[in-house]
Amino acid sequence: MADDFRTTEVGDRYAQALFDLALETGRLDAVRADLKSLKAAWTESADLRRLATSPVIAAPDQAKGLVAIAVKAKFEQTTTNFLGLLGQNHRAKDLPAVIAGFEARYAKHAGVVAAEVVSAQPLDAKQVAAITAALSKSLGKAPELTARVDPSILGGLKVKVGSKLFDASLKTKLDQMKFALKRA
């Protein structure tokens, strides 16, 4: 599900429109906060994903559902209207790509370096602080860190900064060892 959050051409166009509107109206940070909440909800809620991606749900119903979610979550009016438009245009399935595109534009605009850390188990505050400090030192500025748990990596960490992925997971090391043994 976290892999859903990649930009696409359509998602990018909608992200640009939302970013421009939010910037123009001075609601950039509020819309960004709404999209962060929506990203978390997308990851956690199978019902939201079903609403947005089901081909049997009519566009007006998708729009109503997304707007109802936005109203219940007390999202910014700009975000609420945008979600209604996305649903109405039958583009709700592109929501993860829109969020990814918006996040990229926001990071570039604000000079923020986003980093995602994937671990096999939840990280405690001390571990997050240590990772943040190490990334700050190597990047030259403090990153905005997102932590995610993926038990399939078995141990270690995966750190993604921009398009660069640093994979120090146990699963990858085992796969590399298996490959090396096959070649020997």
Side-chain angles (χ1 to χ4, degrees), residues 29-132:
D29 289 328
V31 170
R32 178 176 182 241
D34 293 345
L35 292 182
K36 272 187 160 189
S37 296
L38 209 47
K39 183 176 183 178
W42 182 274
T43 303
E44 295 167 10
S45 173
D47 289 339
L48 173 59
R49 291 190 305 275
R50 211 172 0 263
L51 167 69
T53 60
S54 175
V56 297
I57 299 175
D61 294 333
Q62 282 183 327
K64 286 178 193 166
L66 290 173
V67 167
I69 290 167
V71 168
K72 180 117 174 114
K74 295 182 171 62
F75 284 170
E76 174 66 35
Q77 192 61 48
T78 304
T79 310
T80 303
N81 293 345
F82 178 79
L83 290 174
L85 175 72
L86 205 61
Q88 192 62 45
N89 291 349
H90 220 284
R91 289 295 182 183
K93 67 183 179 292
D94 294 309
L95 187 56
V98 171
I99 293 170
F102 188 94
E103 287 174 341
R105 281 170 176 72
Y106 183 89
K108 186 175 181 184
H109 173 78
V112 172
V113 177
E116 180 183 43
V117 177
V118 180
S119 60
Q121 297 178 348
L123 300 172
D124 62 33
K126 188 176 179 182
Q127 292 168 319
V128 171
I131 293 167
T132 302

Side-chain angles (χ1 to χ4, degrees), residues 165-183:
L165 175 66
F166 306 95
D167 190 341
S169 67
L170 184 55
K171 182 181 182 331
T172 298
K173 290 182 189 292
L174 289 171
D175 289 344
Q176 289 169 342
M177 195 180 302
K178 190 187 315 179
F179 181 71
L181 289 172
K182 281 183 182 178
R183 292 183 65 206

Side-chain angles (χ1 to χ4, degrees), residues 130-145:
I131 293 167
T132 302
L135 286 172
S136 295
K137 186 176 179 184
S138 68
L139 297 171
K141 60 172 126 178
E144 191 171 273
L145 201 66

